[in-house]
Amino acid sequence: MYTDKTALELVFGTQNIKRWADLDGDENLEKINARVAYVCEVASAELDAIFRQKRYELPLPETFVVKDLATRLAGLKLHDARKIIDGDSTPDTLSLVRQEVQNTIEKIRLGELILGDVQVTVVPGVVKDVEEKKNTQFDPFTLRR
């Protein structure tokens, strides 16, 4: 996992995390801690899914950027679940955090942000010339040109 409860509490505040994770409203610490651990795992898995076969091998390098990104993503998941339970129709109070997460993910995908010094070499594919494609015959038995 790229994040944990301690990081979530540092970024969003202990009381916010406790309130957001208490979906049943019963203040059961065992369920709250289980929910926090779950969203940390989900956020980490989601980052792996986003970057799988992109520029980085998995698991992603242990950098502050990865930890912060996973933490903010997990916090958004907790916040959004609480908002659904409360039936809250007010504007998104974490829209700035949401936009920062999206921007950071895009910068990493584009190679504008490099995570550590472990990067997979991306080999560009070879594109055949259009004229070369026109002059080849399709072989239905080998499914090749």
Side-chain angles (χ1 to χ4, degrees):
M1 281 193 312
Y2 302 124
T3 191
D4 56 25
K5 183 178 181 184
T6 302
L8 277 167
E9 290 175 345
L10 285 172
V11 172
F12 294 103
T14 303
Q15 292 304 312
N16 283 332
I17 295 303
K18 184 178 177 184
R19 185 171 55 86
W20 296 344
D22 187 10
L23 296 182
D24 295 331
D26 59 6
E27 298 184 14
N28 181 314
L29 287 180
E30 188 175 315
K31 290 194 295 188
I32 290 169
N33 289 334
R35 175 95 178 122
V36 169
Y38 176 77
V39 296
C40 288
E41 286 183 45
V42 169
S44 297
E46 192 169 316
L47 289 180
D48 282 349
I50 290 169
F51 296 113
R52 182 178 266 84
Q53 297 179 351
K54 298 294 180 194
R55 297 182 180 275
Y56 297 97
E57 293 179 2
L58 300 178
L60 294 171
E62 291 184 32
T63 66
F64 185 74
V65 171
V66 172
K67 183 171 186 151
D68 186 62
L69 186 58
T71 301
R72 291 176 187 276
L73 189 57
L76 288 169
K77 291 181 178 307
L78 283 175
H79 176 267
D80 291 351
R82 177 80 253 170
K83 193 170 180 176
I84 291 169
I85 296 296
D86 290 345
D88 192 354
S89 62
T90 60
D92 185 3
T93 57
L94 294 181
S95 61
L96 182 58
V97 174
R98 197 175 311 282
Q99 188 60 49
E100 286 174 351
V101 166
Q102 292 171 351
N103 289 345
T104 301
I105 288 172
E106 191 60 23
K107 285 179 182 178
I108 295 167
R109 291 174 95 180
L110 293 173
E112 294 173 10
L113 268 178
I114 304 299
L115 302 176
D117 56 348
V118 180
Q119 197 172 15
V120 175
T121 304
V122 179
V123 180
V126 177
V127 178
K128 291 187 176 187
D129 186 44
V130 175
E131 288 301 315
E132 184 180 330
K133 285 183 181 178
K134 287 181 185 176
N135 296 329
T136 59
Q137 295 292 322
F138 180 74
D139 183 352
F141 297 104
T142 61
L143 299 176
R144 291 189 225 161
R145 292 186 182 268

